[in-house]
Amino acid sequence: MLSRTADHLFWMSRYTERAENTARMLDVNYQTSLLPQSAAVSKVGWQGMLSISELMPAYQAGHGEIEPQQVMEFMVCDDTNPSSILSCLRAARENARAVRGSLTTEVWETQNQTWLEVNRMLRAGEFHRDPGAFFEWVKFRSHLSRGVTVGTMLMDEALHFMRLGTFLERADNTARLVDVKFHAVQSDFFGAASEKDQEYDFYHWSAILRSVSGFEIYRKVYRDVIKPERVADLLILRPDMPRSLHASMNEVVANLAMVANEQSAETQRRAGRLRAELQYGAIEEILANGLHAYLTQFLDRVNDLGVRISRDFLIPT
């Protein structure tokens, strides 16, 4: 496969996944903001949203003070923000258009219709009328895109590069989410907390789980109250949790193996080693050594994998 074609397919999937993850984070922050809480607590949530995406400097340069409505507009429909939902869906559609001949009609029409529809919805003011419904629509279109891709594409290199982009992006986003959200909790993980703190923590951890469609999964797996260490275990080490770091790296390693070439051995080794550490890791060790340090290192290694994949298979960045 031509590196240019592989590059477009890889980034089409990454941008679609990024739009979904942005919608998930915004939806959780929006729903949480409807709960009784102080302005300071609410502000921390929106700051975390910008920090996850590393967009705090860009936001402050254009908007200054953090206001929930302005943050949502910046993350949804701001053309100057390359990580906004609108920018991601545009980039996904443009990458799809560039390799129209490598896609099935269903995959192309799904991407194109998503782009046309999001413009119509924003012009009609549907996002401002009901942000929650808009975020659900973005998630649904991402699910539809993945389903149509797996259901209609030939299982060849094109599909593997698309899957590679999806799960590399997912690993990156889940790691950022866990890192920022764990830092946002004020009370000690394992210490005694006041009744008010415990109530706040329940909603906080519930929101984190819902942002990765993990609330029902947590209840099924642990059958217990929500505990921070178990949330971390679910989102980092569980291979059967679809959006966990372990599950994402399983897919990255599997799809890398399917497109391997003579210069990708080192990339495969690094991906395999990272997956092995997740496979045989223990959440107690990770928390004892420092969750933030662990996730920072994980993000560095995922970014390194992205650079190496570009160098080995795609247009060099």
Side-chain angles (χ1 to χ4, degrees), residues 21-216:
N21 281 296
T22 301
R24 286 177 177 276
M25 278 304 309
L26 284 167
D27 192 30
V28 167
N29 272 28
Y30 172 68
Q31 300 295 344
T32 305
S33 71
L34 301 178
L35 296 169
Q37 59 183 331
S38 68
V41 170
S42 177
K43 186 175 180 179
V44 167
W46 295 108
Q47 283 177 330
M49 172 78 233
L50 294 167
S51 299
I52 287 173
S53 308
E54 297 181 3
L55 289 170
M56 185 68 80
Y59 173 84
Q60 290 179 327
H63 302 278
E65 192 67 24
I66 291 177
E67 297 289 342
Q69 189 60 40
Q70 287 189 343
V71 174
M72 284 207 291
E73 289 188 6
F74 178 71
M75 294 301 295
V76 170
C77 51
D78 193 328
D79 278 330
T80 65
N81 173 13
S83 292
S84 71
I85 290 174
L86 185 66
S87 296
C88 287
L89 293 179
R90 178 196 294 114
R93 191 257 188 181
E94 288 305 307
N95 277 287
R97 189 168 63 87
V99 288
R100 173 69 185 84
S102 299
L103 303 174
T104 60
T105 300
E106 290 88 347
V107 172
W108 160 248
E109 287 184 349
T110 299
Q111 290 287 350
N112 193 45
Q113 185 62 34
T114 299
W115 169 242
L116 296 173
E117 187 69 7
V118 74
N119 279 282
R120 184 199 65 76
M121 293 172 77
L122 291 175
R123 282 197 304 270
E126 292 185 26
F127 160 60
H128 292 98
R129 276 199 298 274
D130 191 348
F134 177 81
F135 298 140
E136 285 299 322
W137 177 84
V138 175
K139 289 189 279 183
F140 171 76
R141 295 303 296 188
S142 179
H143 296 324
L144 181 63
S145 176
R146 277 196 304 277
V148 168
T149 299
V150 174
T152 66
M153 290 284 290
L154 188 67
M155 296 181 188
D156 62 358
E157 285 187 329
L159 179 64
H160 298 314
F161 278 115
M162 292 164 76
R163 301 285 284 173
L164 203 50
T166 293
F167 290 103
L168 203 63
E169 183 68 27
R170 184 174 296 181
D172 180 275
N173 278 276
T174 300
R176 291 178 189 276
L177 168 74
V178 175
D179 190 23
V180 171
K181 287 300 184 181
F182 266 67
H183 266 64
V185 178
Q186 300 302 312
S187 58
D188 186 358
F189 283 5
F190 312 108
S194 70
E195 188 175 327
K196 187 176 180 182
D197 281 343
Q198 289 174 349
E199 184 178 334
Y200 170 73
D201 283 359
F202 171 79
Y203 287 115
H204 181 88
W205 298 120
S206 298
I208 292 173
L209 290 169
R210 291 184 194 282
S211 72
V212 291
S213 299
F215 186 76
E216 291 86 358

Side-chain angles (χ1 to χ4, degrees), residues 159-308:
L159 179 64
H160 298 314
F161 278 115
M162 292 164 76
R163 301 285 284 173
L164 203 50
T166 293
F167 290 103
L168 203 63
E169 183 68 27
R170 184 174 296 181
D172 180 275
N173 278 276
T174 300
R176 291 178 189 276
L177 168 74
V178 175
D179 190 23
V180 171
K181 287 300 184 181
F182 266 67
H183 266 64
V185 178
Q186 300 302 312
S187 58
D188 186 358
F189 283 5
F190 312 108
S194 70
E195 188 175 327
K196 187 176 180 182
D197 281 343
Q198 289 174 349
E199 184 178 334
Y200 170 73
D201 283 359
F202 171 79
Y203 287 115
H204 181 88
W205 298 120
S206 298
I208 292 173
L209 290 169
R210 291 184 194 282
S211 72
V212 291
S213 299
F215 186 76
E216 291 86 358
I217 293 174
Y218 183 96
R219 293 295 197 200
K220 184 174 182 179
V221 170
Y222 299 107
R223 300 180 184 279
D224 198 0
V225 295
I226 299 175
K227 296 180 179 178
E229 63 271 28
R230 287 182 172 172
V231 174
D233 182 52
L234 183 73
L235 300 186
I236 295 172
L237 299 179
R238 292 284 304 200
D240 49 359
M241 166 61 188
R243 306 190 79 83
S244 73
L245 303 188
H246 190 172
S248 298
M249 286 309 302
N250 280 345
E251 291 285 347
V252 169
V253 169
N255 285 284
L256 261 179
M258 300 301 288
V259 298
N261 59 26
E262 64 277 1
Q263 62 192 41
S264 64
E266 178 61 16
T267 303
Q268 286 180 270
R269 186 190 72 80
R270 293 188 182 209
R273 182 176 177 182
L274 184 52
R275 193 267 301 268
E277 290 175 12
L278 290 164
Q279 184 175 350
Y280 297 107
I283 197 62
E284 294 79 13
E285 290 179 10
I286 291 172
L287 293 176
N289 293 326
L291 184 65
H292 177 66
Y294 176 86
L295 292 170
T296 300
Q297 185 187 54
F298 179 87
L299 282 167
D300 288 342
R301 293 167 75 178
V302 165
N303 290 335
D304 175 62
L305 281 178
V307 171
R308 287 179 169 277

